[in-house]
Amino acid sequence: MASNTMFAATFMVLCLVSCASAHNITRILTEYPEFGLFNSLLSQSKIADEINRRMTITVMAVDNASASALSSLDADDLKKALSIHVILDYYDDAKLAKLSKNTTLLTTLFQSSGVANDRMGFLNYTKRKADNKLLFGTAQPGSPLSSAFVKVVAVRPYNISVIQVTNAIVPPGLGGNPQEVPVAPATPPPATTPEAGPAPADGPVAESPDESADAPTPSADAPAADAPAADSPADSPADSPTKSTADSPAASDDESDKSSAGKAVVGAASLMGALVLSALL
């Protein structure tokens, strides 16, 4: 009898604990139609079942407009992306604000799957001092803090917390994520100046205006002013034969003068010879 009483008491305690810890994320979000698409995606991907099996959990929900970024993913990527919106601990606005570090890594449901790579299974949570905003983003290197805390939607301390964030968090590499940090465009090559082609060697030379066909042509009868004169025999002694002195007037005059001078000398000598001879006799 005592053993039966002990068994009944233990069963009741377990039931109370189970009832106290059980939650249904689908039922919670049904009360908020602005999260209807997000709620439907949780059920479609079976992530809702994973959430309901957890004792302590935080769900980061996005409204219908922001959830459209998730609805375009294929089934496998959708499950991964949704599991990143589930933190394996309880966080409400007060607990987030009390975190001592400005940046903290939070473990998600995707990390527990064993297929997360390159810190994709962690969230980077940062308190921005400039405006006191609470920011979230995937912890992959180079990923932006693409989502911000909006409000607490529903809580059951310290069992489940549902908070709203501004944007869906889709890690780079899932479904061509538009939030991926863009690569810098390649530096365009420097513009090159086309080289001037070689001038045609045999091409016609353009006539200048001064050499036009309308310029007057010198008459054939007029002497060319700049035409060189024909070489005369006097100008080219090497090429022309030597002329006789008889043909040259200047040469004749010289010879006459020499003949006259010679005759005078002979005459004078004869006269001197006669005088000397007379004196001797």
Side-chain angles (χ1 to χ4, degrees):
M1 185 68 179
S3 61
N4 291 338
T5 303
M6 181 67 67
F7 176 79
T10 303
F11 179 77
M12 290 181 64
V13 170
L14 291 175
C15 286
L16 289 174
V17 171
S18 177
C19 291
S21 61
H23 48 256
N24 189 315
I25 186 62
T26 303
R27 188 178 302 165
I28 292 172
L29 291 178
T30 300
E31 301 179 13
Y32 305 93
E34 64 268 32
F35 303 116
L37 179 56
F38 182 76
N39 193 15
S40 175
L41 294 174
L42 288 177
S43 299
Q44 173 186 329
S45 62
K46 307 299 182 182
I47 294 298
D49 297 338
E50 294 287 338
I51 294 171
N52 294 337
R53 282 197 289 267
R54 297 281 174 169
M55 297 284 292
T56 304
I57 209 82
T58 299
V59 179
M60 302 168 60
V62 292
D63 61 20
N64 296 327
S66 299
S68 61
L70 299 169
S71 60
S72 61
L73 300 176
D74 61 36
D76 186 54
D77 286 347
L78 174 62
K79 187 170 184 178
K80 293 176 181 177
L82 285 173
S83 63
I84 290 171
H85 290 74
V86 181
I87 304 172
L88 300 183
D89 201 350
Y90 175 90
Y91 290 98
D92 54 19
D93 54 343
K95 186 175 180 180
L96 287 172
K98 288 180 180 177
L99 289 176
S100 58
K101 296 180 180 180
N102 289 331
T103 298
T104 304
L105 291 182
L106 306 177
T107 306
T108 70
L109 183 62
F110 184 44
Q111 180 64 23
S112 67
S113 67
V115 297
N117 296 319
D118 199 17
R119 294 198 292 179
M120 189 186 291
F122 295 94
L123 284 177
N124 182 351
Y125 163 70
T126 297
K127 290 188 295 182
R128 192 163 63 190
K129 292 183 178 180
D131 52 11
N132 291 323
K133 278 192 174 183
L134 310 180
L135 305 175
F136 299 90
T138 177
Q140 284 181 281
S143 297
L145 296 171
S146 56
S147 192
F149 175 85
V150 178
K151 65 181 180 182
V152 172
V153 177
V155 294
R156 183 182 292 173
Y158 293 89
N159 180 241
I160 185 171
S161 172
V162 180
I163 62 176
Q164 181 184 359
V165 294
T166 55
N167 300 305
I169 300 173
V170 182
L174 292 186
N177 171 29
Q179 296 179 18
E180 185 173 356
V181 178
V183 179
T187 304
T192 57
T193 303
E195 296 182 358
D202 300 329
V205 179
E207 294 182 355
S208 66
D210 295 336
E211 297 176 357
S212 62
D214 295 334
T217 303
S219 172
D221 298 333
D226 298 332
D231 293 338
S232 63
D235 295 332
S236 304
D239 298 333
S240 60
T242 306
K243 293 184 179 180
S244 63
T245 57
D247 295 337
S248 175
S252 298
D253 292 341
D254 291 341
E255 292 296 331
S256 285
D257 292 341
K258 290 179 180 179
S259 177
S260 298
K263 289 178 179 181
V265 170
V266 169
S270 298
L271 180 60
M272 288 295 294
L275 289 175
V276 171
L277 183 59
S278 298
L280 291 175
L281 293 177

